[in-house]
Amino acid sequence: MNLQGASSSVIVTFLLYIAIVIGIGVRSNIKMSKSKADNFMEDFYTGGRGMGTLVVVFMLAAGLCSAGTFIGSPGMAYKVGLVFVLACMAQSFMNFVVLGEVGTKVGIISRRISANSAQDILNYRYNKNKVFRWVSSIAICIFYTANIVAQLSGGTRLVVVMTGLSYTTALLIFGIVIVLYTAFGGIKGVTNAIIFQGITMTAAIVILFVTLLSKIAPMESAYANIIAQEPTLASPWAWRPEYTFSMFVSLGLVTIGQPHSMMSSLMYKNTKGMHKAMFIGAIVVSVWTAAIVWAGNLGRALLPNLEAPDYIIPALAVELMPGWVAGLVLAGVAAAIQSTIASVMMVISSTLVNDMYLVVAPTKDSKKIKLVTIVATLLAGIVPIVLAFNPPEALQFFILYAIGGLTSSFFWPILLGLYWKRANEQGAIAGLIGGMLAFIGAQGKYIPNFGMHGIVVGIVVSGILTIGVTLITPKPPRRIIEVFWGKHKVEA
């Protein structure tokens, strides 16, 4: 099937979506320009810590559900079968995992120390250790830049096949829009856009899935067709159990190991809103994941010989829907990817400013800090756009590699730093570096991975090193314990 240049109405619908997002960015920039210079960084990165439930829901859900969920995962379900649908459902409760495990604690601590990022909290917790600061900052910049490159590549390919635009033109349109509304609107620009994007992607997914179900009905005949092509496509045993388990770990159980997942915990207005966001977010992500990933598997019944599995969703949209509705699907998937890129850009920007620039060239000049913040955010988006001109081939595996590297590095330093008083900087450094190297070694098969994704090996090694090194090195300073476990009341 030839998707190229599917319909002019697809282009019109997509451009309308882009125009709305740009309008949101302009409005957010006007608001940010009124922010007092002394409060600029807090407003830019946390929105003044006054975000409501819906913002927290979509900031977390859309920030973690990206090209992997909306393009790569349906492609994997098309190629591998229902086993990947099963594995992917592990992410359904990411709002519970993140907000339930660390939400309240992060909200309290961020207000106590005026933290603008997860990295600020970790640096304070680990005694502002220079080695930890620089190693963690480098890990964030490398793995998150790789993640953005993959996201940009996936989103651009989607635009190309559904509109007929060249890869370069689509990349520039797709990427520059994100860079502009993020760099000049800050987190308010991101959150204002993310509500619109969240509603758009939800509508697109539901419309596509319902239309697909009506087209392939009855389900029994559809799966008889799929099984005739390849029996393992409907089997939960296409992968060995240990590998399926490792994918559950990677996609769901250790989500807090991705620093950008904690952004929503820095922003919520109060714990009541956060708790609502946990439940609403679980419903939203469950609907997104089940519908879009399962659609990739069900698509085999209609399009059994698709050459590029990653294009199953745009192929279904073009096959099943009028042009404007296909354009809505394109906008919905693009919204998911842009939301993730924007939230990750904020993490990189904060790291570049707080953990690199201000460490090397400290200043209290609020105007200079404002300028540096905007420039850092622009760099966080422009560098990946340049790198994306030479895109990676395997989108989902590239994204999983970036996620695995981050999670193997940060999971234990984050979790133990928040809940174990004994945790110290020496243990955190050992866990961060050891987990990162173990993950890279296991994925590259330089060390045994025991038939699992390398993230499991990375996390196990990181946990052993974090705890082991901590127990043989000095306790953290009392002042840190007082801030993280003190009795004084702080509104969260």
Side-chain angles (χ1 to χ4, degrees):
M1 161 175 203
N2 181 19
L3 290 171
Q4 200 77 21
S7 170
S8 59
S9 55
V10 173
I11 299 176
V12 172
T13 305
F14 181 66
L15 290 179
L16 177 61
Y17 157 78
I18 291 294
I20 293 173
V21 172
I22 291 174
I24 292 171
V26 171
R27 184 170 177 269
S28 300
N29 178 244
I30 294 171
K31 288 186 175 181
M32 280 302 300
S33 66
K34 298 177 181 179
S35 178
K36 293 181 180 179
D38 292 342
N39 298 328
F40 178 79
M41 287 189 69
E42 183 176 30
D43 287 345
F44 189 89
Y45 289 117
T46 70
R49 309 185 202 281
M51 299 298 178
T53 299
L54 200 59
V55 169
V56 176
V57 167
F58 285 127
M59 189 70 196
L60 179 54
L64 290 171
C65 294
S66 57
T69 297
F70 291 84
I71 300 177
S73 290
M76 288 287 286
Y78 181 93
K79 182 178 180 180
V80 177
L82 281 176
V83 66
F84 193 79
V85 181
L86 174 67
C88 220
M89 289 304 295
Q91 73 180 23
S92 295
F93 299 99
M94 61 175 59
N95 285 56
F96 270 105
V97 172
V98 175
L99 297 177
E101 285 184 5
V102 302
T104 300
K105 187 80 170 183
V106 169
I108 292 172
I109 301 304
S110 67
R111 287 160 172 80
R112 289 183 179 178
I113 65 174
S114 298
N116 293 322
S117 67
Q119 185 76 339
D120 284 348
I121 294 175
L122 291 177
N123 285 329
Y124 191 97
R125 176 64 180 87
Y126 293 120
N127 205 22
K128 299 182 180 179
N129 183 279
K130 292 181 180 179
V131 175
F132 179 84
R133 180 190 295 273
W134 282 99
V135 171
S136 58
S137 297
I138 292 169
I140 283 173
C141 290
I142 291 175
F143 284 113
Y144 270 140
T145 297
N147 193 326
I148 294 178
V149 171
Q151 306 288 345
L152 284 170
S153 301
T156 300
R157 289 168 179 166
L158 180 69
V159 174
V160 168
V161 299
M162 292 190 71
T163 65
L165 295 171
S166 69
Y167 180 87
T168 300
T169 301
L171 174 61
L172 291 174
I173 292 173
F174 190 80
I176 289 175
V177 169
I178 312 168
V179 171
L180 291 179
Y181 79 71
T182 305
F184 294 103
I187 199 67
K188 290 181 180 178
V190 174
T191 54
N192 288 336
I194 220 166
I195 293 176
F196 169 68
Q197 290 169 326
I199 293 170
T200 300
M201 65 179 95
T202 302
I205 291 167
V206 171
I207 291 172
L208 176 66
F209 188 65
V210 170
T211 305
L212 175 61
L213 288 181
S214 66
K215 184 72 174 180
I216 65 170
M219 186 75 72
E220 183 178 359
S221 298
Y223 268 106
N225 182 351
I226 293 171
I227 291 170
Q229 298 173 42
E230 176 57 59
T232 58
L233 293 173
S235 170
W237 308 112
W239 286 338
R240 294 176 63 88
E242 59 268 31
Y243 189 78
T244 304
F245 167 76
S246 70
M247 293 302 294
F248 262 87
V249 172
S250 176
L251 295 170
L253 300 181
V254 292
T255 311
I256 63 166
Q258 300 174 58
H260 79 286
S261 71
M262 294 169 62
M263 284 185 63
S264 55
S265 299
L266 298 168
M267 296 160 35
Y268 64 78
K269 187 175 182 180
N270 52 52
T271 50
K272 182 178 180 181
M274 185 200 72
H275 292 153
K276 287 182 180 179
M278 289 169 57
F279 290 96
I280 297 172
I283 295 170
V284 168
V285 178
S286 295
V287 170
W288 288 354
T289 306
I292 203 74
V293 182
W294 192 15
N297 181 250
L298 289 171
R300 289 292 292 250
L302 288 179
L303 305 170
N305 300 311
L306 201 61
E307 292 183 5
D310 279 354
Y311 295 147
I312 181 59
I313 296 305
L316 288 173
V318 172
E319 178 75 15
L320 299 175
M321 298 175 172
W324 72 269
V325 183
L328 179 63
V329 173
L330 170 59
V333 178
I337 299 169
Q338 288 176 325
S339 300
T340 299
I341 293 172
S343 61
V344 169
M345 280 176 59
M346 296 296 286
V347 175
I348 296 176
S349 170
S350 176
T351 298
L352 291 173
V353 175
N354 291 327
D355 302 308
M356 293 183 171
Y357 178 82
L358 291 179
V359 171
V360 175
T363 179
K364 293 185 179 180
D365 186 335
S366 55
K367 291 183 179 179
K368 182 180 287 187
I369 292 174
K370 183 175 182 178
L371 176 62
V372 169
T373 300
I374 294 174
V375 171
T377 310
L378 287 170
L379 286 174
I382 292 172
V383 171
I385 289 176
V386 173
L387 295 175
F389 279 108
N390 184 24
E393 291 296 327
L395 176 65
Q396 181 67 355
F397 287 110
F398 201 76
I399 291 173
L400 288 175
Y401 194 90
I403 291 173
L406 286 164
T407 306
S408 297
S409 303
F410 285 97
F411 177 75
W412 289 114
I414 289 173
L415 189 63
L416 295 179
L418 291 173
Y419 293 108
W420 188 31
K421 293 181 180 180
R422 183 64 175 81
N424 63 15
E425 61 262 37
Q426 291 86 0
I429 293 168
L432 192 154
I433 296 175
M436 186 193 313
L437 294 177
F439 168 75
I440 293 171
Q443 279 299 95
K445 297 184 179 179
Y446 302 112
I447 62 175
N449 60 17
F450 308 101
M452 295 185 286
H453 192 273
I455 194 171
V456 176
V457 177
I459 288 173
V460 170
V461 170
S462 177
I464 292 171
L465 288 173
T466 304
I467 295 170
V469 172
T470 293
L471 293 175
I472 61 174
T473 50
K475 295 180 180 180
R478 184 67 188 174
R479 60 178 174 76
I480 294 175
I481 302 303
E482 284 296 327
V483 170
F484 276 71
W485 285 274
K487 299 295 184 181
H488 55 288
K489 293 182 179 180
V490 177
E491 184 182 356

